[in-house]
Amino acid sequence: MNTFDENDQRNHPRPDDSEFGLMVNTLLSRRQLLGAAGAGMGLFLGGQGLVQAATTANTTASNVGPRIGFTPIAANSLDTVTVPAGYQWRVLASWGDAILPGGTTFDPATRGTAISQSFSIGDNNDGMSFFSLGADHAVIAVNNEYANYEYLFVSGRCSSIEDTRKAQAAHGVSVFEVRRIGGVWKLQPQARLNRRITANTEMRLSGPAAGSALLKTQADPTGTVVLGTFNNCANGRTPWGTYLTCEENFNGYFGSAESLPENAAFKRYGISAKGAGINWHPFDGRFDLAKNPNEPNRFGWVVEIDPMDPTSTPIKRTALGRVKHENAEVVVNADGHVVVYMGDDEKGEHIYKFVSAQKFNAKNLQANRDLLDEGTLYVARFTTVDGKAQGEGEWLELTHGKNGLTAEAGFKDQADVLVHTRLAATVVGATTMDRPEWIAAHPTQAQVYVTLTNNTDRGMKPNQAVNGPNPRAKNVYGQIVRWTPKGYDHTSNQFTWDIFALAGNPILHKDAYAGSANITPENMFNSPDGLAFDRDGRLWIETDGDYSNANAFAGMGNNQMLCANPVTGDIKRFLVGPVGCEITGIAFTADQKTMFVGIQHPGEKLTPSHFPHGGDAVPRSSIVAVSRRDGGVVGA
Ligand code: FEO
Ligand code: CA
Ligand code: CA
């Protein structure tokens, strides 16, 4: 949650083109990128009022930024978790750990059944949130994005209805209580709030698209009741205490043995008879596109879950749009409007913002329960001039009847606009981005960061010419872009932006692919993805990239987590994950003395991992708890 007191904010210094602007025709040179980083710092130092006047108790946040006190670690390709000297880690929970009555110990010989999986933590833990219930007690909600069939099934394939039900049970969200006992956070099996939400849990569709003809199916003629959530990537946490889980690559779960008629929306969302090899449709007719052509319209939403009530019905909030959602970063604006920033992770897709119609009620949290049903959705256009590494931008409204979103353009009402959010974004002229992943808002300043993970289509496709925030063709490394809303007002439709970091390989390259000045041989990485601020304003970056440690990625090692100072631009490597994993999901205890980090799909594609148990164990996605041996604040 982020609150801002507008009266404490000074005017944001506008980027001065003559001083900071960088003109090149196609790609930024290394030298120019050095200038870009310098310009970014100048922007912040020049705006030190931004830091000093911010509503923060963190008095260390000056124009030098938050303290990053650990000694950075080297890249490696080990099959373990590596953390800095003075830190420790231990496994909190893994795929297959029982959390409900009837659950059984994970069986590596069978990898469980549909029933045992439904009582246990799902596969591929991703975004997660920590909800305190006291100093030593909490509930964690964590996404289970997808299943690694090479480990979920001994056969490696989903080839029956039993397999389908097991895979569906491995998806969704796991909710479980944790307690700190003797200084160690431990999963509480069978605690009261523990819950599994799967691809078959009943949910409600709400907001402007609920009940639309596009959401009606034979099984649900009302268009308001849907079974399940899947491919839940990253997350959000509302200030009224609910969990947001975001549906990403839902398209691949649908398929058909029959050929399908041409459908522009299916094409844009990647929905096809072929599917993505998940293979539920032969066994569960709900996923057969010929039988249920509207079923995919019921996925691609942000879903709100009350982690404090295991009997509550999750709600898909259609006002937030239907895309391949990454996370949902919730900010309470100074005037009380709730703003949600969201990325759509696909090459050439966009960045979105929702602004609630009603205001946040801090005195009566229950009164906020339907804030995400009514409001305005926007998509970002970055104003770019060739070669400039910073500039201005605007939020374009996605409201039926405005900006060309008319019946003639194919949008009969607001439900059409929301179900086909991507198509609407193109009509209004949104900027194509390099795969927008997580968005993170600074805890005390009106400043928002996004990871653009990579995009090998950049510069290769007509609608994806290189542009300011996406400045490199065949971008295999990714970048982090940030913006400041005009007047520090998150509801403003104008902003200024710059590039915080261009990832790259400065050993291999001397041009733009070396990265920005804050990328060095010591901290280099590729494909930034997870992104979150801690309370003190340290920016934590998680990677989901190429871990071959070879060719363009030589010297980067396994996927990792880094910590950045948003003021100085310094970036230090904090954690390296095991073989074949992605690092994703981050949550802190209230005292910030423990950080939970997701180790997703160790050993994917049969890479040689046995994490976390070693020996010849089946690798299992896990959440690890990281803390300092001296009990201090993580990162400080
Ligand atoms: Fe699930 Fe875009 O990562
Ligand atoms: Ca991701
Ligand atoms: Ca990713």
Side-chain angles (χ1 to χ4, degrees):
M1 169 182 167
N2 302 281
T3 53
F4 300 99
D5 182 347
E6 201 165 39
N7 296 327
D8 280 353
Q9 303 278 12
R10 295 183 199 167
N11 288 333
H12 177 59
R14 305 280 292 186
D16 178 340
D17 289 348
S18 59
E19 189 178 352
F20 299 125
L22 300 160
M23 296 296 295
V24 290
N25 286 328
T26 50
L27 293 177
L28 299 169
S29 69
R30 171 72 170 164
R31 182 182 57 80
Q32 283 159 326
L33 287 166
L34 290 165
M41 287 162 60
L43 201 62
F44 278 91
L45 296 173
Q48 58 187 263
L50 204 109
V51 176
Q52 291 169 348
T55 54
T56 175
N58 173 23
T59 51
T60 59
S62 63
N63 57 9
V64 297
R67 173 179 160 78
I68 297 178
F70 62 86
T71 304
I73 60 172
N76 71 57
S77 298
L78 303 172
D79 190 29
T80 189
V81 170
T82 309
V83 291
Y87 281 79
Q88 58 195 349
W89 64 274
R90 63 171 69 223
V91 175
L92 174 77
S94 298
W95 160 50
D97 284 353
I99 58 169
L100 291 170
T104 50
T105 305
F106 179 78
D107 178 358
T110 64
R111 292 80 188 273
T113 62
I115 295 289
S116 72
Q117 181 60 74
S118 70
F119 294 145
S120 306
I121 291 179
D123 200 359
N124 274 278
N125 49 273
D126 204 318
M128 63 179 148
S129 293
F130 180 94
F131 300 87
S132 277
L133 297 167
D136 300 312
H137 186 199
V139 58
I140 287 178
V142 60
N143 292 344
N144 298 115
E145 188 182 29
Y146 64 102
N148 282 103
Y149 284 2
E150 64 269 43
Y151 299 115
L152 184 71
F153 300 120
V154 175
S155 70
R157 293 172 48 237
C158 176
S159 51
S160 66
I161 183 63
E162 160 70 15
D163 288 351
T164 301
R165 294 292 181 234
K166 180 177 166 184
Q168 290 171 340
H171 284 69
V173 178
S174 299
V175 182
F176 54 86
E177 291 183 36
V178 291
R179 284 186 189 272
R180 183 159 48 188
I181 299 164
V184 177
W185 285 97
K186 290 186 174 160
L187 166 67
Q188 300 299 296
Q190 305 191 20
R192 188 177 66 84
L193 298 180
N194 291 10
R195 181 181 192 185
R196 276 306 321 280
I197 290 164
T198 73
N200 285 303
T201 301
E202 187 170 301
M203 331 208 142
R204 187 158 69 79
L205 285 151
S206 75
S212 155
L214 289 167
L215 298 181
K216 292 178 179 171
T217 62
Q218 273 188 9
D220 172 31
T222 69
T224 60
V225 182
V226 55
L227 293 184
T229 186
F230 44 83
N231 217 276
N232 304 78
C233 187
N235 63 310
R237 189 179 188 282
T238 69
W240 51 94
T242 59
Y243 182 69
L244 301 177
T245 182
C246 306
E247 297 175 342
E248 192 186 16
N249 296 306
F250 63 89
N251 56 308
Y253 291 76
F254 297 89
S256 186
E258 298 174 39
S259 60
L260 305 170
E262 272 288 294
N263 179 327
F266 275 17
K267 194 169 177 206
R268 179 66 177 268
Y269 283 87
I271 299 161
S272 72
K274 195 162 157 259
I278 288 155
N279 215 38
W280 292 355
H281 65 273
F283 311 107
D284 184 344
R286 188 154 68 93
F287 296 90
D288 187 324
L289 292 165
K291 293 180 184 147
N292 287 293
N294 279 354
E295 190 67 13
N297 293 342
R298 292 142 65 86
F299 297 88
W301 303 105
V302 173
V303 188
E304 186 168 6
I305 295 168
D306 181 355
M308 301 302 165
D309 179 2
T311 67
S312 59
T313 302
I315 303 174
K316 300 199 178 192
R317 301 289 185 188
T318 65
L320 275 58
R322 176 173 167 265
V323 299
K324 295 185 184 176
H325 281 287
E326 190 69 20
N327 78 333
E329 179 74 337
V330 181
V331 175
V332 177
N333 195 47
D335 65 2
H337 287 286
V338 171
V339 176
V340 187
Y341 290 107
M342 299 168 284
D344 179 2
D345 178 10
E346 189 134 56
K347 295 171 183 172
E349 290 298 338
H350 309 297
I351 294 172
Y352 295 88
K353 175 178 86 163
F354 170 85
V355 179
S356 68
Q358 304 301 320
K359 293 181 178 181
F360 175 62
N361 184 335
K363 296 197 180 81
N364 178 7
L365 294 183
Q366 283 295 325
N368 302 298
R369 282 307 171 98
D370 291 321
L371 267 184
L372 302 184
D373 271 350
E374 195 191 342
T376 308
L377 188 64
Y378 300 85
V379 65
R381 175 157 65 199
F382 290 76
T383 305
T384 66
V385 177
D386 278 355
K388 287 200 176 186
Q390 58 189 64
E392 300 179 5
E394 61 184 311
W395 292 102
L396 307 166
E397 189 171 339
L398 296 171
T399 298
H400 184 255
K402 293 187 180 176
N403 296 330
L405 298 174
T406 60
E408 297 72 51
F411 303 94
K412 136 174 134 294
D413 54 20
Q414 186 62 14
D416 271 9
V417 170
L418 293 170
V419 172
H420 298 141
T421 302
R422 284 183 167 184
L423 304 178
T426 297
V427 169
V428 305
T431 300
T432 64
M433 308 297 289
D434 287 349
R435 296 185 55 198
E437 299 248 30
W438 293 43
I439 297 178
H442 192 281
T444 55
Q445 300 162 24
Q447 214 178 59
V448 190
Y449 290 63
V450 63
T451 47
L452 301 168
T453 196
N454 56 54
N455 181 1
T456 48
D457 283 352
R458 181 63 61 188
M460 304 291 116
K461 292 195 169 173
N463 70 336
Q464 293 188 51
V466 293
N467 61 37
N470 308 280
R472 294 175 296 185
K474 291 189 188 174
N475 173 18
V476 297
Y477 294 123
Q479 65 267 21
I480 299 173
V481 168
R482 64 185 169 190
W483 66 86
T484 299
K486 187 176 182 185
Y488 307 110
D489 176 359
H490 287 281
T491 70
S492 169
N493 61 10
Q494 290 176 276
F495 60 88
T496 54
W497 63 268
D498 72 342
I499 295 178
F500 176 68
L502 274 175
N505 191 326
I507 293 179
L508 217 57
H509 301 286
K510 296 293 167 229
D511 58 8
Y513 299 89
S516 47
N518 51 354
I519 302 299
T520 66
E522 289 70 42
N523 71 9
M524 61 182 175
F525 60 94
N526 74 89
S527 307
D529 186 339
L531 191 72
F533 278 100
D534 64 25
R535 190 184 57 201
D536 297 336
R538 282 174 287 269
L539 181 63
W540 298 88
I541 304 163
E542 298 175 320
T543 72
D544 170 23
D546 188 304
Y547 44 75
S548 63
N549 202 32
N551 304 317
F553 311 99
M556 296 180 181
N558 290 346
N559 275 310
Q560 58 195 272
M561 181 184 219
L562 306 106
C563 185
N565 179 329
V567 176
T568 63
D570 283 351
I571 300 175
K572 291 180 177 172
R573 187 180 294 112
F574 177 75
L575 177 150
V576 177
V579 170
C581 83
E582 163 184 349
I583 305 297
T584 185
I586 176 168
F588 290 89
T589 53
D591 60 12
Q592 292 207 131
K593 292 180 175 176
T594 301
M595 169 201 266
F596 299 100
V597 180
I599 308 297
Q600 195 192 42
H601 61 69
E604 74 164 356
K605 297 175 188 156
L606 302 175
T607 46
S609 175
H610 301 283
F611 185 85
H613 298 298
D616 60 356
V618 176
R620 293 161 70 185
S621 289
S622 299
I623 299 167
V624 298
V626 180
S627 60
R628 267 167 63 169
R629 291 183 188 279
D630 68 1
V633 167
V634 173

